[in-house]
Amino acid sequence: KQWYQRRVAITAGNVQEQYNCKYLREAAINITKIATGSLPSPKQPVYGERAIDMLFGFVFASLDVDPHACDSFDMCEFLGIERKVRISAFASAPMIQMKLNEVFGEDPQFDLELCEKMRQQILKNAADN
């Protein structure tokens, strides 16, 4: 819900037209470094390193089919940063495939069948602690 509220505030308030949001994100990171001596918390909304990682397969699938599935708003594009997929227990087989191709390069071995097996192993490992 918080992400949706931020999106509405950003789009409804014409923030995109009034401010250089790419610069504001960089400025927020720099101010945090100056004030605290360290980078922002990775999960800090909007300007944390992992704040906009793609975690959920259903969101990934929606954006893969229709890049404008979220009312034509893309937070990564808005902030001028690259969309990243983070592999977790919530990752879908297509997300795992995308990450493998990103890290190791395109390879025919990285098919959805293998990625589904990897997803099942991730879930098994999580259940086994």
Side-chain angles (χ1 to χ4, degrees), residues 69-120:
C70 297
D71 295 336
S72 301
F73 181 78
D74 182 341
M75 184 66 94
C76 293
E77 183 180 318
F78 174 72
L79 295 172
I81 56 179
E82 182 181 348
R83 181 181 298 136
K84 293 183 182 179
V85 173
R86 183 164 51 97
I87 301 304
S88 70
F90 299 112
S92 64
M95 289 174 69
I96 293 170
Q97 183 181 41
M98 182 180 188
K99 190 66 173 185
L100 287 170
N101 287 329
E102 176 188 317
V103 173
F104 301 108
E106 297 284 330
D107 191 316
Q109 294 180 69
F110 301 151
D111 61 11
L112 290 178
E113 184 180 334
L114 171 73
C115 295
E116 180 58 29
K117 288 178 185 176
M118 292 175 79
R119 188 182 78 77
Q120 292 299 324

Side-chain angles (χ1 to χ4, degrees), residues 9-60:
I10 290 168
T11 56
N14 294 321
V15 172
Q16 296 177 59
E17 296 167 9
Q18 294 177 0
Y19 301 101
N20 180 344
C21 294
K22 295 172 189 172
Y23 173 76
L24 288 176
R25 181 175 186 274
E26 291 175 28
I29 292 168
N30 289 332
I31 289 169
T32 302
K33 283 194 270 188
I34 291 167
T36 66
S38 59
L39 291 169
S41 168
K43 296 179 185 176
Q44 174 66 38
V46 181
Y47 63 94
E49 182 183 1
R50 291 177 32 197
I52 54 169
D53 286 357
M54 194 172 294
L55 299 174
F56 303 104
F58 64 88
V59 174
F60 172 78

